[in-house]
Amino acid sequence: MKKFLLLFFVTSSLYSQSEYPQDYFRNPLDITLVLSGTFAELRSAHFHSGLDIKTQQKVGLKVYAAAEGYVSRIKISHYGYGKALYITHPNGYTTVYAHLQKFSDRLEKYIKDCQYEKESYEVEVFPSTEELLVASGEVIAYSGNTGGSGGPHLHFEIRDNQERPMNPMLFGIDIKDSTRPFVSAVYAYPKDENAVINGKNERVPLRLIPQQNGDYEVEKITAHGNIGFGITSYDKQDLAPNNNGVSNIQTFFNGNKSLEIDFKRFSFDETKHIKRLIDYEYLKTKNSRIQKLFIEENNPLSLYKDTYDNGYITIEDSTSSVFKVRIRDFKDNETWVNIPIKGKYESLETSEYIPSNKTKIYADQSTELKSGLVTVNFYKNTVYEDVDIDFSVSSDTLNLHEDNIPLQKNFYINYDLSNYKSEDLDKMFIAKLYGYYKKPSYVSTTRKGNILSAGNNSFGTYTLAMDTVAPTITPVNFKDKKWLSKYRYLKVKIDDDLSGISKYRATVNGKWILMEYDYKTNMLVHDFNDNIVKDTKNDLKIIVTDNVGNSSTFEATFFRK
């Protein structure tokens, strides 16, 4: 053990001299690596923090330790990473393996002991450096589809000693890719009200002309003033048809570098600010991600390099200019976009002033909105810039603009329930309404006295809702009084169609049993191989509670030899 710890510190010191150690980390799977998601790929509200490796559309593939080290963290949760394993290595890096089906026998026993001790499926533990040592290439787990996974795959990360995720391909994890990125759309943006693009002072789509060599030409535009550009771009690997994220974007104005976005590393603290990189309004209305090639105020992302004038360019009258965009994947396959610009001053028509009935939210100060029994609080730096929003309250429904303005953090909604019956208060919650049919979705709600409160980080329509219906509990593979001697698993389906499942508890003969919960299938599963159920006659009891406290109890008897 002392030898390992000494090696840990010595090797860590050696590798600090080399930026990205090569041939240190092996592949976490024993198959050709094919990706469904690349590092820093643009997701709805964050950058993807690792590689999503396809597992041949199945679960149960052996997952190997990418290098020697010790298990420094194990986390099991219903959502997010599901079953996840963290290994800290002597060179100071940590590898992460997520959405696992199960762990190796040794690690599975360790974590199940923790689960039974805490009587909880969801656990998070931090073993010491000496508890769970692993060797390079040791089988540590089996691939799965747990947590927020949309299908079987292995999510694999490499993090530095500051817990910042880095592109694993920097360390020699190889993905076959000889295909250059492609561009599906280009847009021009005015920086302010004085800028004009093709006669307009608004985001303008540009005509993209593919060239025979794989690059793109944009039909010449006219412009005047300070403008910026945005692109929609993707990469493809050789062995997968899906669209992935690119690795690097550079822009040049008349041959001089204007801006670079390098998707090499980021911190989890900043990933939410992806809303400042993409055109959030376009994402919400068109379901497409435009990457802005300019930096707006209050954009703290560390991805930018070599920026000049924040990526904006100035176009003067009667000049000819060229703006170029270079898009690369990790293997340095590159694509260029060429945008010729003719400087042309055009005066914009002055529209008649129409008084606005919108409400101003300020970026640099707190704002409180109140109407009837509803109060909404925006604290400083909730919005990125001063915005005008729609705000109105009708009965129990709060209209808080449309979800097309990016927010940095939560605002807080408070309902005064003084006018409601006291016996109803415990069953009430705040819900956000989604879709054409305005289906209510539970927002985490707390109550203090007669005040109901909830926080959220997206505009939209909110309302008061009441849930008086308890969850349902349905046995799947057994009936009351049934013999289950030949069964390995006990399966139960639980569901709640309004406020959602909050917690559950299962016991056999009064003793807590572990039941794994998959929210995607609403399934609770107990593995009899846990060897907790040892009696012939067994009384099962399951209690399921929703988010406002409605509970259901299911009881049955089963037999095992």
Side-chain angles (χ1 to χ4, degrees), residues 533-549:
V533 179
K534 298 179 180 180
D535 297 333
T536 301
K537 180 182 178 182
N538 298 280
D539 295 321
L540 171 69
K541 184 176 182 179
I542 301 175
I543 302 173
V544 181
T545 307
D546 65 21
N547 278 301
V548 297

Side-chain angles (χ1 to χ4, degrees), residues 160-298:
D160 66 13
N161 59 10
Q162 297 181 51
E163 281 293 301
R164 295 176 298 184
M166 307 178 68
N167 190 344
M169 296 176 70
L170 291 166
F171 299 84
I173 302 297
D174 190 46
I175 308 296
K176 189 175 182 181
D177 185 0
S178 61
T179 306
R180 56 163 56 189
F182 70 94
V183 178
S184 60
V186 178
Y187 301 83
Y189 290 78
K191 182 181 181 182
D192 51 46
E193 66 276 6
N194 299 315
V196 181
I197 305 161
N198 288 347
K200 299 178 179 179
N201 181 246
E202 60 188 35
R203 179 185 59 221
V204 177
L206 307 181
R207 182 167 174 255
L208 196 62
I209 307 169
Q211 304 296 293
Q212 288 187 347
N213 65 355
D215 292 332
Y216 298 86
E217 188 85 11
V218 169
E219 188 174 58
K220 180 180 287 188
I221 66 171
T222 61
H224 185 269
N226 298 318
I227 66 173
F229 292 91
I231 62 168
T232 302
S233 62
Y234 302 97
D235 185 42
K236 286 183 180 291
Q237 278 81 47
D238 291 1
L239 302 177
N242 42 285
N243 296 335
N244 295 125
V246 301
S247 182
N248 184 277
I249 303 174
Q250 297 175 343
T251 65
F252 303 86
F253 181 52
N254 292 334
N256 297 312
K257 192 173 183 181
S258 181
L259 172 142
E260 180 175 355
I261 308 175
D262 191 15
F263 299 98
K264 183 181 296 180
R265 174 175 60 194
F266 61 85
S267 70
F268 285 108
D269 288 339
E270 65 179 311
T271 188
K272 65 182 179 180
H273 296 295
I274 189 176
K275 297 178 181 180
R276 211 54 174 155
L277 171 70
I278 62 174
D279 186 327
Y280 188 79
E281 185 273 336
Y282 197 84
L283 170 64
K284 290 299 180 177
T285 55
K286 304 295 184 182
N287 196 30
S288 179
R289 293 173 178 82
I290 302 173
Q291 301 168 74
K292 297 176 182 177
L293 305 179
F294 51 90
I295 306 172
E296 297 167 297
E297 61 180 311
N298 292 325

Side-chain angles (χ1 to χ4, degrees), residues 3 33 153 217 361 546:
K3 180 180 178 182
L33 300 190
H153 73 278
E217 188 85 11
I361 306 296
D546 65 21

Side-chain angles (χ1 to χ4, degrees), residues 357-517:
N357 60 356
K358 294 184 182 293
T359 302
K360 177 78 75 175
I361 306 296
Y362 296 95
D364 62 353
Q365 65 187 59
S366 296
T367 306
E368 181 177 275
L369 308 181
K370 185 174 176 61
S371 178
L373 301 178
V374 180
T375 303
V376 185
N377 292 107
F378 294 85
Y379 296 109
K380 184 177 179 180
N381 296 324
T382 299
V383 292
Y384 285 97
E385 57 193 351
D386 297 350
V387 294
D388 295 314
I389 68 166
D390 296 315
F391 168 72
S392 62
V393 177
S394 176
S395 185
D396 293 333
T397 301
L398 164 66
N399 172 35
L400 201 59
H401 206 71
E402 296 179 39
D403 182 15
N404 58 15
I405 297 175
L407 301 177
Q408 297 195 58
K409 57 186 180 182
N410 285 353
F411 57 83
Y412 294 90
I413 303 169
N414 299 287
Y415 276 85
D416 187 341
L417 305 182
S418 301
N419 294 337
Y420 290 84
K421 297 178 181 178
S422 58
E423 59 267 27
D424 294 336
L425 300 188
D426 285 341
K427 304 303 179 185
M428 301 184 75
F429 64 96
I430 297 174
K432 187 175 183 181
L433 302 180
Y434 287 94
Y436 180 80
Y437 293 104
K438 299 298 183 182
K439 183 179 179 180
S441 178
Y442 176 81
V443 180
S444 183
T445 304
T446 59
R447 182 167 71 89
K448 187 174 182 179
N450 289 329
I451 303 299
L452 208 62
S453 302
N456 210 347
N457 63 357
S458 61
F459 286 122
T461 303
Y462 294 83
T463 192
L464 276 183
M466 181 180 294
D467 185 359
T468 59
V469 180
T472 59
I473 307 173
T474 308
V476 173
N477 65 338
F478 69 98
K479 296 179 181 179
D480 190 30
K481 305 292 196 304
K482 185 173 181 178
W483 281 87
L484 303 180
S485 301
K486 297 182 179 180
Y487 285 56
R488 176 173 174 179
Y489 299 103
L490 183 72
K491 299 181 179 181
V492 175
K493 188 172 184 177
I494 62 175
D495 198 10
D496 188 86
D497 64 357
L498 190 51
S499 65
I501 302 295
S502 171
K503 58 184 178 181
Y504 63 91
R505 180 179 175 83
T507 58
V508 169
N509 299 331
K511 181 181 292 186
W512 184 87
I513 63 168
L514 174 65
M515 297 199 82
E516 299 193 1
Y517 175 48

Side-chain angles (χ1 to χ4, degrees), residues 88-111:
T88 297
H89 304 281
N91 62 359
Y93 292 99
T94 296
T95 52
V96 183
Y97 315 77
H99 306 305
L100 302 170
Q101 178 194 45
K102 61 180 180 178
F103 305 103
S104 66
D105 290 346
R106 176 170 65 109
L107 301 182
E108 189 78 2
K109 182 182 184 308
Y110 178 91
I111 198 62

